[in-house]
Amino acid sequence: MCPIYEVNLTKVLAIHLSKNPILLKNTFRQVELKVLVSRFFLAYIFYFIARLLFVLYNNDLLQVEDITTFFKICIYGLAFDTSAIIYLNLLFLLVSILPFFINTKPKFQKVLFYIYFVPNLIGYATNFVDFAFFRFNMGRSTLAVKEVLENEQNKIKLLFHFLGTYWHVFLLFIILSSAWVFLYKRIKLNEAAVIKKPSYLIASLVFILVIPALSIGGIRGDFKYSTRPITLVDASRHVKNPMHSEAVLNTPFAIIRTVNKHTFKKANFVSDAMLLEKINPIKKYPRDSLTMDKPNVVILILESYGREYIGAFNEHLKIDNYKSYTPFLDSLAKKSLIFPNSFANGRKSIHGMSSIFGGIPSFEVAFTSSSYVNQKIMSVVSGLNEMGYDTSFFHGAPNGSMGFLGFSTILGFDHYYGKTEYNYDADFDGIWGIWDEPFLQYMKRTLDKKKTPFMASAFTVTSHEPYIIPEAYKDVFEEGEVPMHKCVEYTDYALKRFFEEAKKESWFKNTIFVLTADHTNQIHYDEYKKNINKYAVPIMIYTPNEDFVGVDYSLAQQIDIFPTVLDMAGYEKPFRSWGRSLLDTNSVTPFVMTHNGTLYNFMQGNYICIFDGEKAIGFYDIEDKNLTNNLIGNRTPEMESVETSCKAFIQDYMRRIIDRKMNDNTMLE
């Protein structure tokens, strides 16, 4: 049988090139595929070298201590390298797999050469920029660099200064780029004749179906239904030292993943004195609110669990034909302090995590998806860690889902318990994770073995599309008005079972329980279809000694949970927090900040201020949650004050994030 193609990979993956090549059969495009794979393999080799050089240039900051750690970083970095390489080679892939019938001709291959190297070398060069720039930026370069350069008047001078100071970096780039080009040219493709067009087209169809599917998975970083495309925060998933996440990343990926996603910009709206008056970003609470000695803390974040579903949070609204789907939570609310006017600070699950634990709301671009995420953050986790707490995060989805594993590392959780640790797939729902009831029981059993004091949080998974519950309960819980209702009922039952078992343990009595949700989901009642109420989530604080019981109708938000817990636990130092302790009624006027993806919604006092990033474009009565009657034409002093508070919040938020001062407990200048 005559070989379709000859490939000799013994000499740097090269295909034998004859001075007078014989036209070979190219029936199934096998050699084209081998050459394509070889060219992509080259990209991985040079990305590995770039990562090695990045570590060598910056290891005084990165502190990669041994070869084993470095190779682990390289393995973790493969997903990010794959994503960047595929992004940069999308056109090259497309042109390579389409059946032009002249794919092996020299002129076609010459064009393909430039299609390959123009984007690849531009992307590769950005890695070299970060060899030097990293120690100034303390993070991988992203599109934020563009905004920095736009404000520089002497760009050419700066460029030549950079080249002069870091000539060795430039030289390394030239050497490695030349080596890449040399090796690419050694992987030669002999011209071949298309003998059987049907077979050629069948092979091409397979390429067109399979390669794009693989590329999509490579760009996303995963083929699982339950995960979203990897972002910068996922670089922290496996590393113990948060700085190692910068070595896991590569600069092309960081730039590409922040295209159209960088809206962090410093503002100078108000004086520091006004900022202190309106927002008071540095909190410190006295110990007189303590009723328990170093209490355990359990924060339960209920997936998609809007306020609409819980009867106790809706009694004051008098909604016609209202029905609650949470009998257990309604009963628990009577023994708890609840906030029926509470809101989420973001639109996605990862937004809820940053808001609840770090007191960091999400605006047009989430902090967790930004280039600034890999920095030290003062949080409820770090505060309790300082106090000697054991801290754990529980999420029944596949480890790494939703970006939680990476961000939990940044926050400083001691332990992460996911589907892997649960290790019993019979309880897997087939899509998102372990059913809520067994996973919360697993959490309880794990806490039973912990030394107190501990802090633990569970992020449930079942109350989510496609709105399924375990087969054993399909006839137990009603379908309700929307598919979400039966899931809400099931999760409520799972919580009941958790509390029934937990109260049997000695740690239960000295524990603070906080219940909230990440965001809302399916809406049935018109009240919750209003613009502002799309962020309506519950906040409930329960202590077994029932020292905190009642209904507080003041404005509350997810970012208030972080300072509230530190207040109740007795944290004595000042700390950065834009939210307030929900037990504090004196320091600042309660407010809520949300963002609809385009505009800020700031609620305080009697008004809702709609802010476009520069100025207020609307004021609405606090009860006008659907934003129907704009009062901006009749501005009052209180409206001016609300707008000033909004500006103060944004000003401090942007400055601390951009300047990487999220762990700073002083006023910024």
Side-chain angles (χ1 to χ4, degrees), residues 331-597:
S331 65
L332 190 67
K334 292 178 176 147
K335 306 173 185 177
S336 306
L337 178 60
I338 68 170
F339 297 84
N341 210 11
S342 51
F343 297 86
N345 296 108
R347 305 175 303 280
K348 298 179 181 178
S349 295
I350 190 66
H351 301 173
M353 191 176 182
S354 66
S355 298
I356 293 163
F357 295 119
I360 308 169
S362 293
F363 300 144
E364 184 174 350
V365 174
F367 169 75
T368 50
S369 300
S370 76
S371 59
Y372 302 106
V373 66
N374 294 314
Q375 60 175 293
K376 287 186 177 180
I377 301 168
M378 181 62 196
S379 69
V380 65
V381 183
S382 64
L384 294 178
N385 280 342
E386 281 184 49
M387 295 175 67
Y389 279 67
D390 176 277
T391 54
S392 302
F393 185 76
F394 293 79
H395 186 224
N399 291 35
S401 177
M402 313 302 290
F404 291 164
L405 179 53
F407 193 58
S408 69
T409 302
I410 292 172
L411 290 169
F413 275 102
D414 294 323
H415 313 285
Y416 184 96
Y417 300 94
K419 179 174 177 287
T420 299
E421 288 73 20
Y422 186 81
N423 196 29
Y424 186 64
D425 285 352
D427 291 332
F428 179 48
D429 66 12
I431 297 178
W432 289 111
I434 305 301
W435 299 112
D436 287 349
E437 182 191 5
F439 194 75
L440 287 175
Q441 292 299 312
Y442 164 71
M443 175 186 177
K444 180 265 173 188
R445 292 192 300 271
T446 305
L447 295 183
D448 291 345
K449 302 173 185 176
K450 296 282 186 184
K451 181 180 179 181
T452 58
F454 59 73
M455 176 269 185
S457 180
F459 205 122
T460 66
V461 303
T462 303
S463 47
H464 197 292
E465 63 84 26
Y467 311 113
I468 55 175
I469 60 176
E471 186 70 19
Y473 295 103
K474 69 176 183 177
D475 296 324
V476 176
F477 302 116
E478 301 177 21
E479 285 296 325
E481 301 294 340
V482 294
M484 179 67 171
H485 286 163
K486 65 177 180 293
C487 299
V488 168
E489 288 185 279
Y490 168 75
T491 298
D492 181 74
Y493 174 75
L495 291 167
K496 177 184 177 183
R497 292 280 301 113
F498 170 78
F499 276 86
E500 284 176 345
E501 295 302 316
K503 68 182 181 182
K504 299 175 183 177
E505 306 301 329
S506 59
W507 57 262
F508 181 80
K509 291 182 180 180
N510 194 45
T511 302
I512 298 167
F513 294 89
V514 179
L515 292 92
T516 188
D518 53 345
H519 53 75
T520 60
N521 200 293
Q522 288 188 322
I523 298 171
H524 174 60
Y525 297 106
D526 290 342
E527 176 67 23
Y528 288 94
K529 294 177 182 177
K530 296 176 179 178
N531 284 295
I532 298 301
N533 281 344
K534 291 176 182 176
Y535 299 88
V537 297
I539 294 179
M540 178 190 298
I541 300 171
Y542 168 72
T543 57
N545 61 17
E546 298 186 25
D547 278 352
F548 300 94
V549 177
V551 181
D552 188 332
Y553 290 102
S554 62
L555 289 169
Q557 54 190 327
Q558 288 172 333
I559 65 172
D560 294 334
I561 292 173
F562 154 38
T564 301
V565 171
L566 289 191
D567 183 8
M568 296 181 75
Y571 187 80
E572 296 181 294
K573 300 178 184 177
F575 59 95
R576 185 276 314 159
S577 172
W578 296 302
R580 66 180 177 97
S581 169
L582 293 170
L583 307 181
D584 174 24
T585 58
N586 300 314
S587 298
V588 295
T589 304
F591 67 88
V592 167
M593 171 70 94
T594 64
H595 194 280
N596 66 4

Side-chain angles (χ1 to χ4, degrees), residues 258 293 349 509 604 625:
T258 53
D293 181 33
S349 295
K509 291 182 180 180
Q604 188 176 50
K625 297 295 195 299

Side-chain angles (χ1 to χ4, degrees), residues 153-178:
Q153 303 300 315
N154 55 343
K155 298 180 182 64
I156 301 300
K157 183 178 179 181
L158 287 172
L159 174 61
F160 280 102
H161 174 75
F162 178 86
L163 294 177
T165 304
Y166 298 100
W167 60 268
H168 40 90
V169 173
F170 181 71
L171 180 61
L172 280 170
F173 173 71
I174 296 297
I175 292 171
L176 288 170
S177 297
S178 299

Side-chain angles (χ1 to χ4, degrees), residues 130 133-142 145 371-372 660:
D130 270 348
F133 194 59
F134 174 78
R135 61 184 55 253
F136 301 105
N137 192 43
M138 292 303 291
R140 288 281 186 172
S141 295
T142 67
V145 175
S371 59
Y372 302 106
R660 297 179 178 271

